[in-house]
Amino acid sequence: MMAYGRARLLFASFVALILTVLPLPSWLDVLRPQFLVLAVLWWSVNSPGTGGIALGFFAGLLLDVFQGTVLGEHALALSIVTYIAVREHQRIRTKPAIQQAMIVFAALIVYEIVLFVIEGWTGHLVASPLRWVHTVTGALIWPPAAAILAYAAERRA
Amino acid sequence: MAAFGTGAGRPLGRGGSPGFRFTVYAVLAVVVMYLDQRGHYLYQVRYVLQAAVYPVQLAVNSPAAAWAWLKETSQARAALEAENARLRERQRDLELQSMRYEALARENGELRGLKEALPPVADRWLAAEIVGIQQDSLRQKMLLNRGAANGVFPAQAVLDDKGLIGQTTHVGPWSADVILITDPEHAVPVRVERTGLRTIAVGAGDASSLAMPYLPGNADIKTGDLLVTSGLGGVFPEGYPVARVTEVHRDAVQPLAQVRAKPLAHIDTDTEVMLVWFRAGHPAAPVAESGGADLKSGNAAMQPQPAPPKPAKAPAPEPAKADAPKATDAPKAEDAQ
């Protein structure tokens, strides 16, 4: 059963990665939620055994390579967020979707703050307010995204 | 959710409590960051990862590539003929312009007191296709389909036929990331062609403008001035066109002038760019070591070299090695990655 879940997890993460790095026109790009972060969060909350911090770390490392940032930057940010999600997964899981979206919003803010701080330290800071837009769109898209992920994970399982 | 069997009583995962695993991964991430940022020890790791993600990058960019291909193949014959005629005309113009080039180059060498004309600073170049582009207000980057297998190296200059485009950052075996001159994080040392005034052009986050934030209010610069690379910073050689000044604002209360320039390269419409190798030792060439970031003090070799080397029979007095860097404290190469 575990391996079955893991294959689906990898597939969903891969699709989320594609959606995250797919080239889009710049106005859409600003609005684009971080799909990979959302997928990793969903898995950490709903199946911390298969997802969890290792998933967060390696997904973050992939984002670092795709986005050309310092290796470890997204990895650390995602590790922190998944750690919170795994720790609190039982509390988050039972909440209704709207409240979950609020929690996801907070998690995305934490994620972005960590990125912001690391970029500041390493001297690659891009201090544009537009970088925070995805936290809002990510929270807004959470209820449908969570439903799709639940469907993908549970179908024929 | 029962399918995953994550009951509350089950221990999570394989490696101990979440807190322990988090600590392990967080420490690992910090170590990786430190190694990547400080020592560039992870060049090999990055190289392998770059190769691993290249197929995915190609795949996600294929819809755009397919669209471009479709547009090209469905072009009418008349349009192609018109383009052909225009290109032929342009080639004739360029040939006429370059006819006197060799004579001028020799003449220039003689004027500079050199025995022979210098060869052009660009040694060889390689056309690369843009397979991916990211242009938003946060990042201005592109991905090229040439990599270390073609001899591409990090911090290599990228040009198109009109001007400077950017420089490579991470190089994989078959691909290279390029940071554009319009990226808010990129700064290119430039010189105003008309006056020789040196400054730094910083990307403004959109494909059509560069900002020059360090010019005093009384600087001699005006709309229409051509900006060329100054040769400082160790990445770009001296004298390549970068941008044209479009806007100069002088405000009596502000100590600095607000200057904007438009890049000459067609950054948003190009489909192919040129990777250029420069002749080492050429007076206009960038210095091989571009490590401005890890130099404690300046590097004498990174200074601009407008004058030709002195004739051999009158050796310049050798400055003491120790105070040479102090005397020529180089401005920190802001474009060094």
Side-chain angles (χ1 to χ4, degrees):
Chain A
M1 264 335 210
M2 287 304 281
Y4 202 51
R6 196 158 296 147
R8 277 165 188 254
L9 158 74
L10 288 178
F11 178 71
S13 304
F14 184 71
V15 172
L17 174 69
I18 298 283
L19 287 175
T20 311
V21 298
L22 199 67
L24 286 180
S26 60
W27 61 274
L28 254 181
D29 199 48
V30 170
L31 293 175
R32 166 169 39 200
Q34 294 288 312
F35 289 106
L36 187 56
V37 180
L38 295 181
V40 168
L41 268 178
W42 189 86
W43 235 279
S44 306
V45 168
N46 290 287
S47 173
T50 37
I53 301 155
L55 173 68
F57 180 82
F58 288 108
L61 214 54
L62 268 182
L63 280 180
D64 284 328
V65 179
F66 270 100
Q67 306 194 346
T69 46
V70 178
L71 275 186
E73 175 182 326
H74 288 86
L76 181 61
L78 260 181
S79 300
I80 291 172
V81 171
T82 45
Y83 169 63
I84 300 169
V86 168
R87 246 183 81 107
E88 304 295 327
H89 73 278
Q90 282 164 342
R91 242 174 285 178
I92 300 171
R93 192 157 40 173
T94 50
K95 296 262 194 301
I98 303 295
Q99 283 186 38
Q100 278 191 6
M102 302 295 287
I103 296 167
V104 166
F105 179 62
L108 288 173
I109 293 277
V110 170
Y111 173 76
E112 203 55 45
I113 287 175
V114 175
L115 292 185
F116 195 80
V117 168
I118 296 172
E119 284 175 14
W121 273 337
T122 53
H124 297 278
L125 185 59
V126 182
S128 160
L130 290 178
R131 62 180 294 155
W132 302 93
V133 172
H134 84 83
T135 57
V136 179
T137 55
L140 287 178
I141 213 161
W142 174 261
I148 292 170
L149 280 165
Y151 178 72
E154 278 174 11
R155 202 162 62 108
R156 285 183 278 118
Chain B
M1 242 38 55
F4 302 103
T6 50
R10 232 183 108 264
L12 296 172
R14 303 143 298 271
S17 73
F20 173 74
R21 288 168 64 188
F22 167 68
T23 314
V24 169
Y25 280 114
V27 168
L28 187 59
V30 171
V31 168
V32 163
M33 250 187 292
Y34 181 81
L35 291 178
D36 194 31
Q37 173 77 4
R38 293 285 150 191
H40 307 285
Y41 295 113
L42 293 179
Y43 187 77
Q44 299 298 328
V45 177
R46 189 127 214 172
Y47 187 79
V48 171
L49 287 172
Q50 205 88 17
V53 302
Y54 184 53
V56 181
Q57 284 172 322
L58 272 187
V60 297
N61 288 301
S62 57
W67 175 243
W69 179 83
L70 204 69
K71 230 166 58 178
E72 200 168 307
T73 47
S74 63
Q75 241 174 12
R77 188 188 159 83
L80 289 174
E81 273 172 357
E83 191 186 4
N84 202 343
R86 207 186 58 229
L87 288 174
R88 212 173 297 149
E89 199 172 312
R90 184 163 157 68
Q91 191 202 357
R92 200 190 53 213
D93 287 357
L94 289 175
E95 266 169 10
L96 275 171
Q97 277 175 28
S98 64
M99 224 183 256
R100 286 253 310 138
Y101 173 81
E102 290 206 356
L104 286 173
R106 182 160 358 96
E107 196 179 317
N108 191 15
E110 277 162 13
L111 287 172
R112 283 170 163 234
L114 295 171
K115 283 223 173 60
E116 277 171 37
L118 286 163
V121 61
D123 186 14
R124 64 195 181 89
W125 44 88
L126 177 71
E129 217 173 292
I130 300 170
V131 292
I133 188 149
Q134 184 189 11
Q135 286 195 308
D136 53 61
S137 54
L138 306 180
R139 303 259 176 254
Q140 299 259 322
K141 291 193 172 164
M142 56 171 73
L143 180 73
L144 303 181
N145 69 343
R146 306 283 185 182
N150 308 98
V152 179
F153 56 90
Q156 182 170 12
V158 181
L159 313 170
D160 76 355
D161 55 340
K162 295 285 187 289
L164 203 63
I165 292 232
Q167 56 175 303
T168 56
T169 50
H170 306 297
V171 177
W174 309 288
S175 64
D177 279 342
V178 174
I179 182 168
L180 304 179
I181 52 170
T182 51
D183 188 290
E185 233 188 87
H186 192 273
V188 48
V190 293
R191 177 162 60 83
V192 179
E193 234 290 297
R194 182 172 57 86
T195 60
L197 177 70
R198 273 194 299 267
T199 183
I200 289 169
V202 182
D206 70 272
S208 61
S209 84
L210 295 174
M212 263 144 296
Y214 310 115
L215 278 174
N218 60 359
D220 183 7
I221 189 163
K222 59 185 185 194
T223 309
D225 275 350
L226 178 69
L227 302 171
V228 299
T229 49
S230 68
L232 292 167
V235 175
F236 305 112
E238 190 263 330
Y240 276 84
V242 178
R244 204 171 275 286
V245 176
T246 51
E247 211 187 315
V248 181
H249 273 295
R250 292 178 217 271
D251 190 340
V253 263
Q254 302 270 0
L256 298 173
Q258 288 150 43
V259 185
R260 291 271 169 163
K262 188 178 189 310
L264 294 167
H266 297 158
I267 291 176
D268 41 4
T269 52
D270 276 335
T271 54
E272 270 193 346
V273 295
M274 295 305 225
L275 288 152
V276 190
W277 282 261
F278 297 104
R279 238 175 266 276
H282 192 285
V287 190
E289 282 90 43
S290 66
D294 31 48
L295 283 175
K296 291 282 184 299
S297 58
N299 179 350
M302 282 173 64
Q303 291 306 298
Q305 304 172 339
K310 294 252 162 66
K313 56 185 172 186
E318 193 70 19
K321 277 267 151 66
D323 48 48
K326 220 171 271 169
T328 59
D329 217 41
K332 199 165 177 182
E334 299 213 7
D335 56 351
Q337 279 290 303

